[in-house]
């Protein structure tokens, strides 16, 4: 069984369990570039030359090459690979996926065979049988590597060298017999010279081939006891060998010492054969290394291939979201051998690759449907469920039956007469005693569910609920608008994270990255680093700008007191632009810190601070000069919850079969809800309008609620007549009519209707009979008196 370990890449999006959060807490304030898995001290047996995924990422091929002295055939019997996921802190995730091995190809032998590469091995039989057996083992390994039909052997005897034989099973079993007992002389250079001639001569079989190589096994013993060369043509042969290597047909020569115990003059042969190996672009080694021999052989002929190819099938639901660290182990009985240790890059946290997953268009559609369902649920809850429950509680607590003069409710003595209609209560009357101004229930309903003395300003005597018209918008919970806007912001920020991709930001950030690292753009090292950091380079600064813009724009629309759409949009657009710019800077600074620290995983310093800084700045900017002010304790608390909600998607991903990208919408929703709930405050009521009066009278504020609570189309009249709601008798110089203007309310919004000429708004003369919307701060002048509308609470 082979064990593969995948460590997903990225910041806020690593796959984990609840244990992840617990383990992450001590490390949130630090960044680290190394993964904390225990490093295997063993050298990998296989090197991954390339990883090729199919178009749908359903299957992938591992192109592998041997690094150690073991046959590739031992891996051919593996039928599946177990995938185990670790987070960046080394905590094991319990889920285990199995990648099925659907194919195995030993392509090394296939490529060598197809290219016609033949290897001639010179075996030294003048050595003791133990060393001859060692050469036999090496030749067997060469046969497995290059296939038997591609390997030939020749034998160095005491009196010369044999012809070249195909390395058949018979030759392997019968010819490897030591002749050390009959050794009289050994002519190594003559044997090497003869075989170079054979491999260079196009009239011979081996010489006519396009690719050949000579591998020589010997101990380098070329001298007699009196230190004289065994071969009388010793020096001439050295010169001739070097001359023949200048030929374009000369084969690469690989020389390997079989016995290193000899000293002294024997080193002369080793030094010369090293020169031969270098000149022929072959290889030299004190011990036999098949892998290095193969690599040099491929370099000599400008070839490149892999020893084997594993074809694997990914299980459905497999997630790739960044740089993946891959370790593979071969478990054979008690042996735990490291096979593969590499890394590859597939997908990003913004655009993950999910096997058999839905398309991005399908995910976006599902997200929008979820948002619509959520808006519908909010509307039904806030418009019907919450008001009904609230009214039931109100009815149970404050509505009672009158039982006489001594009737009490909640410890309060009930009055004997109705404060609204002044009629005395009779036994059996249903009354409302929410405040000291007790009323008949019918009078309470007639007065639009408010205290008759203080209206909605009354802290206790106010509970609006229209039982006749359940769709009355005034029935709805105050938070309904904020919740719906939160859903809209969550959808937009989610789309900005999962869909949009800003290449201009990418190119700009590459320049910053190159400057920090001091690596020129376009170099291979820079290309690899950009690939590893492409998610942060490509997405996050621009996403920070998008997030800041969305938060500031919609919060401003909700918090601004202006009634006209144009003024709201102007204010919101300006604040959103500034907030977006700052969001870009916050996330860019986070990226710069990331690069400077060489951090490749999420941390408080790198990721969370840009999120919280952008959200906090957007909130304070959007609520500047508005009726709403963020509550610091609430904001800190909700931002903390919002930041931790970034892990909520992963907990649900591990426990459900929902799509990873769709669950990100839930995380964004929790994050944005926390922000809006820290701002929204039911103490501020938009229907509390105040007219500020100035000019020929002492400045004062006149509340309009006592007229507006009567009905939606209640009139507030302004004029000289004492019958007017606001009598301007102080204006002795102005030309004011008995009833000069009126303020009416439609759908909760006030409007000014001039009834006589002479009303000005700035330099503009208002037309008689036309409706003019009044919004926070708008002024109009009648006679010498200036009226300014304000929206605020009365304290």
């Amino acid at each position: 069984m082979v064990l593969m370990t995948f460590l997903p890449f990225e910041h806020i999006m690593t796959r984990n369990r609840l244990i992840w959060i617990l383990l992450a807490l001590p490390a949130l304030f630090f960044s680290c570039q190394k993964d904390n898995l225990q490093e295997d001290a063993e050298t990998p047996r296989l090197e991954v030359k390339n990883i090729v995924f199919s178009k749908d990422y359903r299957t992938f091929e591992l192109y592998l090459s041997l690094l150690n002295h073991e046959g590739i055939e031992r891996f051919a019997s593996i039928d599946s690979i177990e995938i185990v996921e670790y987070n960046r802190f080394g905590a094991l995730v319990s889920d285990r996926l199995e990648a099925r091995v659907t194919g195995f190809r030993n392509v090394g032998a296939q490529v060598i065979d197809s290219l016609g590469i033949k290897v001639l091995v010179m075996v030294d039989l003048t050595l003791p049988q133990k060393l001859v057996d060692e050469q036999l083992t090496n030749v067997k390994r060469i046969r497995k590597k290059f296939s038997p039909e591609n390997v030939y052997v020749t034998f160095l005897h005491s009196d010369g060298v044999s012809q070249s034989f195909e390395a058949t099973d018979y030759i392997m079993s019968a010819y490897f017999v030591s002749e050390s007992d009959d050794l009289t002389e050994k002519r190594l250079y003559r044997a090497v010279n003869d075989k170079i001639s054979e491999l260079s001569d196009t009239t011979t079989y081996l010489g006519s081939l396009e690719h050949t190589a000579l591998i020589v096994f010997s101990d380098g013993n070329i001298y007699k006891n009196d230190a004289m060369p065994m071969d009388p043509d010793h020096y001439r042969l050295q010169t001739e060998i070097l001359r023949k290597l200048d030929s374009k047909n000369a084969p690469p020569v690989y020389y390997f010492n079989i016995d290193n115990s000899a000293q002294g003059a024997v080193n002369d042969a080793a030094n010369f054969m090293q020169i031969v190996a270098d000149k022929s672009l072959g290889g030299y080694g004190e011990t036999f290394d098949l892998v290095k021999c193969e690599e040099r052989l491929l370099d000599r002929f400008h070839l490149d291939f892999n020893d084997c190819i594993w074809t694997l099938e990914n299980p459905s639901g497999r997630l790739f979201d960044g740089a993946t660290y891959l370790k593979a182990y071969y478990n054979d009985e008690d042996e735990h051998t490291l096979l593969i240790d590499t890394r590859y890059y597939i997908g990003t946290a913004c655009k993950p690759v999910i096997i058999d997953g839905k398309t991005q268009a399908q995910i976006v559609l599902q997200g929008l449907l979820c948002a619509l369902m959520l808006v519908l649920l909010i509307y039904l809850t806030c418009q019907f469920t919450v008001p009904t429950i609230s009214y039931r509680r109100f009815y149970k607590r404050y509505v009672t039956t009158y039982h006489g003069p001594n009737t009490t409710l909640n410890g309060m003595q009930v009055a004997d007469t109705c404060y609204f209609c002044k009629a005395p209560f009779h036994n059996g009357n249903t009354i409302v005693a929410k405040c000291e101004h007790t009323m008949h229930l019918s009078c309470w309903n007639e007065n639009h569910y408010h205290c008759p003395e203080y209206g909605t300003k009354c802290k206790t005597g106010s509970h609006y609920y229209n039982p006749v018209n359940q769709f009355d918008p005034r029935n709805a919970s105050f938070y309904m608008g904020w919740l719906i806007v939160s859903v809209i912001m969550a959808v937009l920020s989610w789309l900005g994270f999962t869909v949009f991709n800003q290449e201009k930001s990418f190119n700009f950030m590459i320049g910053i990255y190159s400057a920090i690292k001091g690596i020129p753009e376009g170099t291979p090292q820079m290309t690899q680093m950009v690939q590893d950091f492409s998610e942060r380079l490509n997405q996050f600064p621009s996403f920070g700008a998008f997030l800041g813009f969305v938060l500031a724009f919609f919060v401003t629309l909700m918090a601004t007191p202006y009634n006209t759409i144009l003024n709201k949009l102007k204010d919101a657009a300006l604040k959103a632009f500034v907030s977006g710019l700052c969001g870009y800077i916050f996330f860019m600074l986070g990226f710069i810190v990331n690069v400077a620290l060489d951090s490749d995983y999420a941390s408080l310093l790198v990721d969370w601070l840009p999120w919280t800084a952008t959200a906090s700045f957007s909130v304070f900017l959007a609520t500047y000069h508005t009726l709403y002010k963020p509550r610091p304790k609430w904001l800190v608390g909700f931002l903390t919850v919002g930041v931790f909600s970034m892990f909520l998607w992963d907990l649900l991903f591990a426990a459900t079969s929902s799509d990873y990208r769709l669950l990100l919408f839930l995380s964004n929703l929790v994050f944005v809800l926390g922000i809006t709930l820290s701002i929204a405050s039911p103490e501020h009521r938009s229907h509390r309008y105040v007219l500020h009066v100035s000019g020929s009278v002492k400045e004062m504020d006149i509340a309009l609620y006592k007229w507006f609570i009567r009905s939606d189309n209640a009139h507030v009249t302004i004029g000289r007549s004492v019958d007017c709601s606001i009598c301007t008798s102080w204006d002795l110089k102005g030309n004011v009519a008995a009833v000069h203007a009126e303020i009416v309310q439609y759908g909760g919004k006030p409007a000014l209707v001039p009834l006589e000429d002479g009303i000005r708004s700035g330099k503009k003369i208002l037309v008689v009979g036309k409706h003019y919307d009044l919004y926070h701060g708008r002024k109009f002048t009648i006679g010498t008196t200036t009226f300014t509308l304000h929206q605020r609470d009365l304290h």
Side-chain angles (χ1 to χ4, degrees):
M1 176 65 68
V2 172
L3 172 64
M4 279 190 178
T5 303
F6 288 89
L7 289 100
F9 185 66
E10 254 340 294
H11 67 80
I12 46 182
M13 301 300 169
T14 35
R15 297 186 58 193
N16 40 58
R17 292 276 192 281
L18 181 58
I19 185 65
W20 196 100
I21 298 176
L22 298 177
L23 291 172
L25 289 176
L28 292 178
F29 292 90
F30 303 95
S31 297
C32 179
Q33 65 181 29
K34 300 178 181 179
D35 66 80
N36 295 325
L37 291 177
Q38 295 182 355
E39 296 184 1
D40 197 317
E42 300 180 18
T43 303
R45 266 53 173 176
L46 297 172
E47 179 184 6
V48 179
K49 294 288 189 179
N50 195 15
I51 302 177
V52 178
F53 283 80
S54 60
K55 290 183 178 180
D56 59 358
Y57 294 93
R58 180 67 182 178
T59 61
F60 64 100
E61 292 182 332
L62 294 175
Y63 289 74
L64 307 170
S65 181
L66 275 176
L67 294 177
N68 302 88
H69 307 298
E70 58 181 313
I72 196 67
E73 69 279 353
R74 72 177 297 183
F75 310 119
S77 60
I78 298 172
D79 58 3
S80 65
I81 290 177
E82 188 176 345
I83 300 172
V84 181
E85 294 181 345
Y86 289 81
N87 62 40
R88 301 190 184 284
F89 297 95
L92 177 65
V93 176
S94 60
D95 288 347
R96 295 194 174 193
L97 304 175
E98 188 174 86
R100 185 168 61 93
V101 178
T102 59
F104 176 85
R105 286 183 287 160
N106 186 349
V107 296
Q110 297 174 5
V111 172
I112 290 176
D113 185 60
S114 64
L115 294 176
I117 298 178
K118 304 293 183 181
V119 177
L120 176 60
V121 182
M122 182 180 294
V123 178
D124 191 344
L125 297 182
T126 67
L127 302 177
Q129 186 62 45
K130 178 180 179 181
L131 297 180
V132 173
D133 292 340
E134 181 180 335
Q135 296 176 78
L136 175 61
T137 301
N138 292 338
V139 174
K140 288 181 178 179
R141 293 179 58 201
I142 294 173
R143 289 181 67 205
K144 291 181 179 179
K145 186 71 172 180
F146 294 91
S147 74
E149 59 272 17
N150 294 320
V151 179
Y152 289 77
V153 292
T154 184
F155 298 96
L156 178 62
H157 303 282
S158 61
D159 57 349
V161 64
S162 72
Q163 69 181 80
S164 300
F165 302 96
E166 186 176 340
T168 63
D169 292 339
Y170 173 75
I171 295 293
M172 300 291 289
S173 61
Y175 279 60
F176 284 77
V177 179
S178 172
E179 300 176 358
S180 60
D181 295 339
D182 301 327
L183 177 64
T184 57
E185 59 182 13
K186 178 164 56 176
R187 300 184 177 183
L188 175 63
Y189 289 169
R190 187 175 300 275
V192 171
N193 182 62
D194 290 347
K195 292 306 171 182
I196 291 177
S197 297
E198 178 182 350
L199 295 176
S200 303
D201 187 355
T202 57
T203 62
T204 64
Y205 170 70
L206 291 177
S208 64
L209 300 177
E210 182 179 0
H211 302 307
T212 57
L214 175 62
I215 298 177
V216 179
F217 294 124
S218 184
D219 63 347
N221 186 7
I222 56 175
Y223 290 92
K224 297 178 181 178
N225 293 333
D226 58 358
M228 292 296 294
M230 293 184 185
D231 195 324
D233 294 329
H234 174 88
Y235 297 105
R236 180 186 65 79
L237 289 171
Q238 284 184 330
T239 303
E240 188 171 344
I241 289 173
L242 295 177
R243 180 181 59 79
K244 289 182 177 180
L245 293 179
D246 292 330
S247 171
K248 65 177 182 178
N249 295 327
V253 179
Y254 300 85
Y255 180 83
F256 297 99
N257 273 342
I258 299 300
D259 184 7
N260 294 324
S261 60
Q263 302 292 332
V266 175
N267 292 330
D268 179 60
N271 294 334
F272 176 73
M273 292 307 299
Q274 186 168 6
I275 294 174
V276 170
D278 294 340
K279 185 176 179 62
S280 66
L281 300 180
Y284 173 87
E286 294 296 332
T287 59
F288 177 60
D289 191 329
L290 179 58
V291 174
K292 290 183 178 179
C293 179
E294 176 196 50
E295 291 177 350
R296 295 294 298 271
L297 178 64
L298 298 178
D299 291 341
R300 172 65 175 79
F301 298 117
H302 307 289
L303 303 174
D304 187 18
F305 65 87
N306 305 104
D307 296 301
C308 69
I309 298 177
W310 264 340
T311 303
L312 299 105
E313 184 179 78
N314 277 313
S316 296
R318 177 75 184 102
L319 171 69
F320 298 94
D321 61 352
T324 298
Y325 296 84
L326 184 152
K327 291 181 183 289
Y329 293 91
Y330 179 80
N331 296 320
D332 185 9
E333 296 179 354
D334 296 333
E335 184 182 11
H336 192 64
T337 305
L338 177 65
L339 293 181
I340 299 172
D341 186 2
T342 188
R343 186 179 73 164
Y344 60 89
Y345 192 96
I346 299 290
T348 67
C350 311
K351 292 178 174 28
V353 172
I354 303 177
I355 305 303
D356 292 337
K358 297 180 177 64
T359 64
Q360 191 173 76
Q362 290 174 320
I363 293 299
V364 170
L365 181 59
Q366 286 188 351
L368 294 178
L369 290 176
C370 289
L372 289 175
M373 293 177 61
L374 190 57
V375 169
L376 179 60
L377 179 62
I378 291 173
Y379 176 77
L380 294 176
T381 302
C382 294
Q383 180 66 43
F384 302 105
T385 306
V386 172
T388 300
I389 294 175
S390 179
Y391 181 71
R392 297 295 181 190
R393 293 178 58 192
F394 158 79
Y395 197 92
K396 183 178 180 180
R397 186 172 182 181
Y398 300 109
V399 180
T400 187
T401 302
Y402 186 75
H403 297 294
N406 296 322
T407 302
T408 60
L409 182 65
N410 299 325
M412 181 181 65
Q413 181 73 33
V414 175
D416 296 333
T417 59
C418 175
Y419 194 86
F420 185 78
C421 68
K422 309 303 181 182
F425 295 133
H426 301 286
N427 290 342
N429 287 162
T430 303
I431 62 174
V432 177
K434 195 171 190 297
C435 64
E436 60 183 6
H437 306 110
T438 311
M439 308 165 60
H440 292 99
L441 179 60
S442 58
C443 294
W444 172 269
N445 295 337
E446 183 181 349
N447 196 49
H448 292 272
Y449 325 105
H450 295 301
C451 168
E453 179 66 21
Y454 300 108
T456 57
K457 182 175 178 292
C458 182
K459 295 181 179 180
T460 57
S462 176
H463 181 91
Y464 188 93
Y465 182 76
N466 186 350
V468 178
N469 181 14
Q470 296 288 332
F471 290 92
D472 187 339
R474 290 172 293 181
N475 277 4
S477 170
F478 165 79
Y479 291 100
M480 183 173 72
W482 286 93
L483 294 176
I484 292 177
V485 170
S486 295
V487 175
I488 296 174
M489 289 192 291
V491 169
L492 292 178
S493 60
W494 172 67
L495 291 176
F497 190 78
T498 58
V499 176
F500 303 125
N501 194 359
Q502 296 84 3
E503 291 299 330
K504 291 183 178 179
S505 169
F506 177 68
N507 296 330
F508 174 65
M509 296 306 294
I510 287 179
I512 295 180
Y513 188 48
S514 176
I516 294 175
K517 290 297 184 181
I519 303 174
E521 296 184 36
T523 61
Q525 185 180 4
M526 186 63 188
T527 301
Q528 181 62 43
M529 288 186 175
V530 168
Q531 184 183 32
D532 292 343
F533 279 87
S534 63
E535 182 174 352
R536 294 184 182 279
L537 284 167
N538 203 22
Q539 191 75 14
F540 285 99
S542 294
F543 172 69
F546 187 80
L547 178 66
F549 184 91
V550 169
L551 291 178
F553 185 81
F554 284 94
V555 172
T556 301
L557 288 181
M558 291 296 294
T560 186
Y562 304 128
N563 285 331
T564 58
I565 297 298
L566 183 60
N567 286 332
K568 280 190 174 185
L569 290 177
K570 286 181 179 178
D571 197 13
L574 178 60
K575 291 183 177 180
F577 175 79
V578 176
S579 178
L581 179 62
C582 292
Y584 188 97
I585 294 174
F586 290 144
F587 276 75
M588 183 179 66
L589 291 176
F591 164 77
I592 293 175
V593 173
N594 184 312
V595 174
L597 298 179
D598 282 329
S599 172
D600 64 353
Y601 71 90
S603 69
L604 178 64
L605 182 63
V606 174
D607 289 309
W608 294 13
L609 285 182
W611 280 75
T612 54
T614 300
S616 301
F617 182 83
S618 300
V619 166
F620 282 100
L621 179 64
T623 56
Y624 181 70
H625 276 177
T626 68
L627 300 177
Y628 297 90
K629 299 299 178 184
R631 290 159 285 183
K633 292 182 179 179
W634 285 51
L635 182 60
V636 171
F638 279 122
L639 280 177
T640 303
V641 174
V643 168
F644 275 100
S645 73
M646 298 176 187
F647 299 101
L648 180 62
W649 68 270
D650 188 68
L651 298 177
L652 294 177
F653 179 78
T656 68
S657 58
S658 300
D659 192 281
Y660 152 82
R661 295 161 291 179
L662 195 59
L663 292 174
L664 287 176
F665 170 64
L666 178 60
S667 178
N668 277 268
L669 180 63
V670 174
F671 183 79
V672 175
L673 277 176
I675 294 173
T676 55
L677 291 178
S678 68
I679 304 170
S681 174
E683 287 79 21
H684 300 287
R685 302 198 181 273
S686 61
H687 62 269
R688 292 184 177 176
Y689 301 107
V690 175
L691 273 181
H692 179 75
V693 181
S694 61
S696 58
V697 66
K698 182 180 179 181
E699 293 190 11
M700 58 181 172
D701 291 329
I702 301 176
L704 304 181
Y705 77 90
K706 59 185 176 183
W707 292 287
F708 284 167
I709 64 173
R710 299 295 179 182
S711 64
D712 281 349
N713 58 357
H715 292 211
V716 178
T717 54
I718 303 175
R720 187 182 299 276
S721 173
V722 294
D723 294 327
C724 289
S725 305
I726 301 176
C727 177
T728 60
S729 57
W730 58 78
D731 191 349
L732 301 178
K733 297 181 181 180
N735 186 17
V736 181
V739 182
H740 208 118
E742 64 180 359
I743 299 175
V744 297
Q745 187 180 31
Y746 293 105
K749 295 182 179 180
L752 175 66
V753 181
L755 301 178
E756 300 289 346
D757 291 329
I759 302 179
R760 302 181 308 278
S761 179
K763 296 181 180 181
K764 183 178 180 181
I765 303 298
L766 303 185
V767 180
V768 175
K770 186 177 180 180
H771 285 62
Y772 295 91
D773 291 333
L774 292 178
Y775 51 82
H776 180 79
R778 181 160 190 177
K779 299 180 179 181
F780 61 93
T781 302
I782 300 177
T784 60
T785 305
T786 300
F787 300 87
T788 306
L789 184 75
H790 292 294
Q791 292 178 223
R792 69 167 184 264
D793 286 329
L794 296 177
H795 300 285

